[in-house]
Amino acid sequence: QVHLVESGGDLVQPGGSLRLSCAASERIFSIMGWYRQAPGKERELVATITYGGTINYAKSVKGRFTISRDNAKNTVYLQMNSLKPEDTAVYYCNAYQLGKLYWGQGTRVTVSS
């Protein structure tokens, strides 16, 4: 089974930046992604990236966030710039492997002055 561990969440001021990391326990050969869940809201897509680097972003983060992956390090990243209070959420990493969906435990991002 695949284990995913997120890190990098923090308290930042509006307009600030954070870089989230998600380390997988093994090489992931298909899509990986970042999702987020704010209090009282459903979990929503932030961005996804295939093994080969094809990327999809949610409209709300396009132009501000960048997803990337280093397959040799079994790691996916989310660079978040120009953060807004509405970006406050628990951010989760996920990955598909052999037809199964795996989730990390989440890392908290709080954007507040």
Side-chain angles (χ1 to χ4, degrees):
Q1 60 188 30
V2 175
H3 295 94
L4 303 171
V5 180
E6 302 99 329
S7 62
D10 205 351
L11 170 65
V12 297
Q13 294 186 338
S17 297
L18 282 175
R19 182 178 173 90
L20 306 183
S21 298
C22 172
S25 58
E26 62 188 62
R27 180 79 60 87
I28 304 299
F29 293 97
S30 60
I31 197 166
M32 300 184 72
W34 288 96
Y35 289 70
R36 67 186 182 186
Q37 188 167 24
K41 299 184 68 176
E42 295 183 350
R43 189 172 299 183
E44 65 176 354
L45 171 73
V46 176
T48 61
I49 183 168
T50 68
Y51 185 84
T54 300
I55 293 169
N56 182 53
Y57 292 105
K59 183 178 179 180
S60 60
V61 307
K62 193 171 186 179
R64 299 188 298 121
F65 291 9
T66 302
I67 189 171
S68 62
R69 64 191 289 173
D70 186 336
N71 294 322
K73 296 181 178 179
N74 303 338
T75 300
V76 63
Y77 305 95
L78 185 69
Q79 177 67 47
M80 304 185 294
N81 299 324
S82 302
L83 284 162
K84 304 174 181 179
E86 51 262 45
D87 295 318
T88 296
V90 177
Y91 283 71
Y92 297 91
C93 174
N94 76 353
Y96 278 95
Q97 189 84 309
L98 299 177
K100 294 184 177 181
L101 179 62
Y102 298 90
W103 292 91
Q105 82 290 342
T107 185
R108 289 186 179 272
V109 173
T110 302
V111 185
S112 176
S113 60

